[in-house]
Amino acid sequence: MGAPKQKWTAEEEAALKAGVLKHGTGKWRTILMDPDFSAVLSLRSNVDLKDKWRNINVTAIWGSRQKAKLALKRSPLTPKHEENGKALSVVVQSNEEVVDAKPLAMASGTPRNGGPKDLLARLDGSTQMILAVCSS
Amino acid sequence: MGAPKQKWTAEEEAALKAGVLKHGTGKWRTILMDPDFSAVLSLRSNVDLKDKWRNINVTAIWGSRQKAKLALKRSPLTPKHEENGKALSVVVQSNEEVVDAKPLAMASGTPRNGGPKDLLARLDGSTQMILAVCSS
DNA sequence: CGTTAGGGCTAGGGTTAC
DNA sequence: TGTAACCCTAGCCCTAAC
């Protein structure tokens, strides 16, 4: 059909990483419309960016230090926690190896439609976002 | 980002359907302020109601396509019977049409006395009026 | 200013191709 | 068998119109 399974090139992946550094995670459409990346990623959709970023992080976590995660899958019992009004607590991964750009983007203080003002302000102590662009 | 995505429960969906039956579509704020549903839908906004109703109708129209597609893809092993104890009475309809609740609600005209309101008024936590809108 | 209708986006699960 | 790429959709957000 029209989808011959288009593998990601190094340039595309680099552009994606740079775009996440610049705009933060979740801003796939924004990255796509950024003139700096629109050329390289012209063949990709915003969903593609999201999926690729997911794959990158999955592999990165596995290479790091978190392997006991799939073991908790496929539980014969019902892992279904359907609460009505109760909020389920979600544990956030500890710092270190997990590449999490979300706090970066949201750390600017504006919860709603903020701007990537001081994106790099937080990028010092933890320093987990290195990677960024293998070299461009 | 404090909302990790709040999935609709069966109770909420039932309340929404009942509310549409009672007040008609488009009266989201009215449904929300109805004492019969305000408790269940307290965490939802009028926009949420609108969006959910849209999703419900979209999925209800299914059947023209993709249904057979996914039906065959249905995993051979899916012993999922873990409903929350609430047994929904599903009315099977050979016709897969969208059940328009608007005529139903309006069909009573001006129920000065003894309208269908009394029937729906006793809506509590249990699901009991799935009758309409629950195709396939 | 509040509400609704509709378009658009994202997150996550699921599926296909390799 | 495992993994990357892709598909599907529920829930949410944004905007225009009223």
Side-chain angles (χ1 to χ4, degrees):
Chain A
M1 297 249 281
K5 219 36 157 177
Q6 202 171 17
K7 281 189 77 75
W8 277 69
T9 67
E11 288 80 12
E12 286 174 320
E13 195 171 325
L16 172 59
K17 291 174 180 173
V20 170
L21 263 188
K22 185 174 181 180
H23 298 286
T25 52
K27 301 297 181 47
W28 313 118
R29 194 78 207 198
T30 306
I31 296 173
L32 216 53
M33 289 193 290
D34 191 313
D36 290 341
F37 317 116
S38 58
V40 178
L41 300 174
S42 60
L43 298 179
R44 303 294 176 177
S45 70
N46 47 339
V47 180
D48 291 333
L49 265 57
K50 183 261 304 176
D51 286 328
K52 182 57 180 176
W53 185 251
R54 171 169 56 174
N55 284 339
I56 290 175
N57 278 338
V58 163
T59 54
I61 289 177
W62 263 80
S64 246
R65 215 172 272 229
Q66 278 201 358
K67 297 158 188 170
K69 192 64 183 290
L70 278 182
L72 294 179
K73 282 180 56 183
R74 282 306 89 186
S75 155
L77 294 178
T78 64
K80 199 167 188 177
H81 17 275
E82 189 80 30
E83 296 300 323
N84 195 0
K86 309 302 193 292
L88 34 134
S89 57
V90 180
V91 275
V92 185
Q93 312 286 349
S94 59
N95 39 36
E96 269 195 35
E97 52 244 332
V98 182
V99 178
D100 197 345
K102 188 164 34 181
L104 277 171
M106 291 311 174
S108 49
T110 36
R112 190 103 217 98
N113 197 358
K117 290 174 284 189
D118 45 3
L119 269 177
L120 306 179
R122 274 284 216 83
L123 194 62
D124 51 338
S126 305
T127 336
Q128 62 283 73
M129 254 211 113
I130 344 91
L131 39 88
V133 219
C134 33
S135 63
S136 60
Chain B
M1 278 293 221
K5 198 164 226 199
Q6 201 172 14
K7 277 184 69 87
W8 276 70
T9 67
E11 286 79 12
E12 287 174 320
E13 194 172 327
L16 172 60
K17 291 172 182 175
V20 170
L21 272 182
K22 184 175 181 181
H23 298 287
T25 53
K27 301 302 199 315
W28 312 120
R29 191 75 202 187
T30 307
I31 296 172
L32 216 52
M33 290 191 295
D34 191 312
D36 290 340
F37 317 118
S38 58
V40 179
L41 300 174
S42 60
L43 298 180
R44 304 292 177 177
S45 70
N46 47 342
V47 180
D48 292 332
L49 265 58
K50 182 260 302 177
D51 285 327
K52 180 58 179 177
W53 185 252
R54 171 170 57 173
N55 285 340
I56 290 174
N57 281 338
V58 164
T59 54
I61 292 180
W62 251 39
S64 48
R65 280 186 180 76
Q66 297 177 352
K67 182 167 186 181
K69 186 177 177 181
L70 267 186
L72 292 178
K73 304 282 174 86
R74 282 301 170 98
S75 60
L77 43 102
T78 306
K80 277 188 175 181
H81 292 309
E82 74 280 339
E83 275 303 320
N84 271 354
K86 304 290 177 55
L88 315 173
S89 58
V90 180
V91 180
V92 183
Q93 301 175 342
S94 54
N95 178 8
E96 296 180 358
E97 275 294 311
V98 187
V99 179
D100 200 330
K102 194 159 28 180
L104 266 175
M106 298 310 179
S108 51
T110 25
R112 248 329 115 209
N113 235 348
K117 289 165 59 179
D118 296 36
L119 292 174
L120 311 176
R122 290 277 105 210
L123 232 233
D124 53 86
S126 327
T127 27
Q128 60 273 67
M129 58 171 322
I130 311 296
L131 40 94
V133 226
C134 229
S135 66
S136 102

